[in-house]
Amino acid sequence: MTLAEERTVIGALSPSRAGDFMTCPLLYRFRVIDQLPERPSAAAVRGTLVHAVLERLYDLPAQARTVAAAQDLLEPQWRRLLTEEPDYAGLFENDEERDAWLTQARGMVDRYFTLEDPQRLEPAEREMYVEVVLDSGLLLRGYIDRLDVAPTGEVRVVDYKTGTAPGREWEAKALFQMKFYALALWRRDGQVPRMLQLMYLGNGEIVRYVPDEADLRATERKVEALWEAIERAVRTREWRARRSRLCDWCDHQALCPEFGGTPPPVPDREPGLSARVSRRSASDEL
């Protein structure tokens, strides 16, 4: 029985959907209320592929976790993704473009080994689904790339990013995702994670953050305020567009007032609770 079945909840948020609303309420509406289809991007699928390789790397015995072994996982995982999502084959105009894309993925896998030694790690969890209901009734849920637990019981939350480390103006957004996970773990287990770690495989940088209870209480207030704003938009049927550099990656410009478009009528649908969040989204790459 899931938490959503055990308790009445007022709504549900994942880090990606919370990020959508903060970026652009109209984007949240298109993705959650309208549920408009979006084309997969080569960058996002590359992120999915690299994450799959790193997840399965830890299925191997410690001494077998080498660069060569990780590279050997890449082609089989790409074939698996193509079997599950045949449309991915249409991402590339020709074999040369696909091969260049795979070469970039291989470079990210290689770069991972410059950041840490997987032979010295035994993650407690990989691709861990977490959900918790706050006292307000808001359900938080999402997938954590990796959870490390020290012999002393201290917890480190690790997230792989296949883009490059962001500038200062975007770093807070990336850390919000990590604080979101830390909040969910704290409210579920009663323990504040010791470390939040973002690993940027695009340029080989690591961002670390040490949270405390004050941080997580502030994050809790923020996500609850976000949900109140979402509920208000549902009631008023007003979903404002917010222009930013992220518009360059948006599939919905033709429907956006910021680009001369007209959104379709708002469907009679509210943010649902039935489906789990997607394991990998385009926001992991950006």
Side-chain angles (χ1 to χ4, degrees):
M1 182 175 291
T2 67
L3 289 173
E5 291 169 331
E6 292 169 357
R7 297 174 57 182
T8 300
V9 299
I10 62 173
L13 270 181
S14 69
S16 295
R17 297 294 76 79
D20 286 345
F21 190 84
M22 289 189 292
T23 297
C24 175
L26 185 59
L27 174 63
Y28 177 95
R29 180 206 137 172
F30 285 158
R31 284 179 168 169
V32 178
I33 307 298
D34 296 78
Q35 298 180 9
L36 299 180
E38 295 182 345
R39 300 184 306 272
S41 71
V45 176
R46 184 174 56 219
T48 301
L49 175 60
V50 173
H51 277 78
V53 169
L54 296 182
E55 178 186 0
R56 286 159 180 80
L57 177 66
Y58 284 96
D59 289 335
L60 301 175
Q63 295 306 310
R65 297 171 197 157
T66 63
V67 174
Q71 293 291 355
D72 286 344
L73 290 168
L74 198 140
E75 286 283 354
Q77 288 306 309
W78 174 229
R79 290 195 296 270
R80 178 185 63 82
L81 290 177
L82 283 175
T83 300
E84 295 175 357
E85 298 288 346
D87 289 347
Y88 287 172
L91 290 171
F92 314 105
E93 294 185 359
N94 50 56
D95 290 348
E96 289 76 16
E97 187 175 309
R98 181 205 59 209
D99 291 344
W101 177 86
L102 283 170
T103 297
Q104 291 175 325
R106 290 188 184 281
M108 292 175 182
V109 171
D110 282 347
R111 197 167 291 121
Y112 167 73
F113 284 81
T114 70
L115 300 178
E116 63 183 4
D117 182 358
Q119 294 185 351
R120 303 179 63 182
L121 295 169
E122 290 297 340
E125 300 284 352
R126 288 167 283 146
E127 287 289 339
M128 180 182 73
Y129 180 76
V130 60
E131 66 176 26
V132 68
V133 179
L134 304 178
D135 290 342
S136 64
L138 179 62
L139 185 146
L140 307 184
R141 59 189 179 186
Y143 280 93
I144 297 173
D145 286 347
R146 200 179 84 205
L147 201 71
D148 299 335
V149 179
T152 56
E154 293 177 317
V155 171
R156 177 172 64 180
V157 181
V158 178
D159 195 72
Y160 306 122
K161 298 293 186 185
T162 49
T164 59
R168 185 167 297 179
E169 61 179 306
W170 298 104
E171 187 173 291
K173 181 179 179 180
L175 285 176
F176 169 76
Q177 174 191 7
M178 301 301 283
K179 291 178 183 180
F180 187 108
Y181 291 140
L183 169 62
L185 291 171
W186 177 45
R187 288 307 191 194
R188 190 191 70 172
D189 303 330
Q191 179 184 359
V192 175
R194 177 68 179 84
M195 177 74 68
L196 309 179
Q197 180 168 297
L198 287 155
M199 305 184 72
Y200 287 93
L201 305 179
N203 63 345
E205 293 187 25
I206 294 179
V207 174
R208 295 184 177 92
Y209 186 82
V210 178
D212 57 26
E213 288 193 9
D215 274 332
L216 302 189
R217 289 194 182 95
T219 302
E220 187 169 31
R221 291 192 296 271
K222 183 171 184 174
V223 297
E224 289 174 340
L226 279 172
W227 185 254
E228 290 176 3
I230 290 169
E231 286 188 315
R232 186 163 54 250
V234 170
R235 290 194 306 271
T236 63
R237 304 172 81 85
E238 293 182 6
W239 301 90
R240 296 186 178 182
R242 184 177 299 137
R243 193 164 188 152
S244 74
R245 283 186 291 170
L246 295 179
C247 294
D248 292 343
W249 288 277
C250 185
D251 277 355
H252 310 301
Q253 288 187 9
L255 300 175
C256 179
E258 289 293 318
F259 294 88
T262 301
V266 181
D268 292 325
R269 183 187 298 123
E270 295 188 7
L273 297 171
S274 58
R276 283 189 172 188
V277 296
S278 172
R279 295 187 66 175
R280 188 64 47 208
S281 69
S283 62
D284 292 318
E285 181 79 20
L286 303 180

